[in-house]
Amino acid sequence: MFGLRVTTFLELLCFLTALATVRTDKKPLWRVSLTYMFLVCLTELVVARWAAKTFHNNLFVYNIYTLFEGALISAGIYHCLKVYTNPKKIIIIGLVIFYSLWIVFFLMHGIMTYNSWAGGVLSALIMLYCCYYYYFVLTDNAIMDINTNPEFWWVTGVLFFYFGTTTANLFHELFTSIMVKGNSLRNWIFTVLNIIFYSILAYSFICRSKQRKLQS
């Protein structure tokens, strides 16, 4: 329960930070990010709670949410990568694999069971894309000030979250069986991941706001 309250607070705070800093930004990455944070808050604060009370099962909400999550995060990474290369093919191939697995799992298990296949593959793809981005950052001749570069921090937040999510899912049974102060270790891990993710994401919004002011 503590983890849920912390996560909900951070999601809302991150969305408000995005509204305050990148609401009027015309660059696609920040428009995608604002849309993503709106979707997160809508899902967690409204739809998932409504489904839990109405159907006593809100897994179908997260299955549908994953469809949008995959598209938005992939779009964000596309706009980060295209500064260095044309990532259109790899992003499209990744999305085809992701949506194909989502459909196959849905046909086999229905909408009320969490689509672990699609979620696991999406996490793996996102991690690969992020590492690809870091490869270009490390090999680029131009010097990047990573302390204030908004795209760098956006990708870093995404990598932390999906790497941690993949690890937690791989050891799901072990982490669920270990209890720490009334909550499973898995819940604590996801709470920490959310703190890192939304904090870094909010920082990337702030960096982008400062960057726009300097450019103007």
Side-chain angles (χ1 to χ4, degrees):
M1 194 68 181
F2 169 76
L4 181 61
R5 289 197 298 267
V6 170
T7 299
T8 301
F9 171 76
L10 288 170
E11 288 166 348
L12 186 58
L13 183 60
C14 189
F15 175 57
L16 293 175
T17 302
L19 279 176
T21 55
V22 299
R23 185 182 71 257
T24 59
D25 201 308
K26 301 300 181 183
K27 277 201 170 184
L29 172 61
W30 309 110
R31 293 169 68 179
V32 165
S33 299
L34 184 59
T35 303
Y36 171 75
M37 285 311 309
F38 172 75
L39 178 65
V40 167
C41 290
L42 178 65
T43 301
E44 293 282 7
L45 301 179
V46 180
V47 182
R49 296 187 178 194
W50 165 80
K53 291 180 180 179
T54 306
F55 303 103
H56 305 291
N57 184 342
N58 60 8
L59 292 178
F60 74 94
V61 172
Y62 291 104
N63 284 334
I64 296 171
Y65 162 80
T66 304
L67 293 172
F68 295 96
E69 176 191 14
L72 290 170
I73 296 296
S74 296
I77 290 178
Y78 167 82
H79 290 294
C80 291
L81 280 172
K82 76 173 188 175
V83 176
Y84 303 100
T85 186
N86 183 0
K88 188 174 182 180
K89 287 184 179 179
I90 63 170
I91 296 295
I92 290 175
I93 291 171
L95 287 174
V96 168
I97 294 172
F98 164 65
Y99 285 119
S100 297
L101 283 174
W102 193 98
I103 292 170
V104 171
F105 189 95
F106 166 72
L107 293 175
M108 292 177 63
H109 302 283
I111 195 70
M112 302 302 283
T113 301
Y114 179 65
N115 199 322
S116 56
W117 292 2
V121 167
L122 178 62
S123 295
L125 287 169
I126 296 302
M127 285 191 296
L128 288 174
Y129 294 151
C130 290
C131 290
Y132 194 38
Y133 171 83
Y134 285 127
Y135 165 77
F136 285 114
V137 170
L138 291 171
T139 58
D140 188 25
N141 291 326
I143 298 175
M144 175 190 289
D145 183 2
I146 63 173
N147 291 322
T148 58
N149 186 279
E151 289 82 7
F152 174 85
W153 285 108
W154 189 94
V155 173
T156 299
V158 169
L159 177 62
F160 263 108
F161 181 76
Y162 284 97
F163 176 77
T165 298
T166 301
T167 304
N169 287 334
L170 284 174
F171 299 98
H172 171 78
E173 293 186 5
L174 174 63
F175 291 158
T176 302
S177 65
I178 300 173
M179 301 300 293
V180 179
K181 294 184 177 181
N183 285 291
S184 69
L185 179 59
R186 187 175 187 273
N187 285 339
W188 284 110
I189 289 172
F190 271 97
T191 300
V192 172
L193 286 175
N194 283 316
I195 291 172
I196 294 172
F197 176 53
Y198 291 114
S199 297
I200 295 178
L201 207 61
Y203 181 68
S204 76
F205 298 148
I206 294 170
C207 287
R208 175 55 185 166
S209 179
K210 291 180 178 178
Q211 186 183 67
R212 288 178 66 197
K213 290 177 181 178
L214 290 173
Q215 290 173 347
S216 62

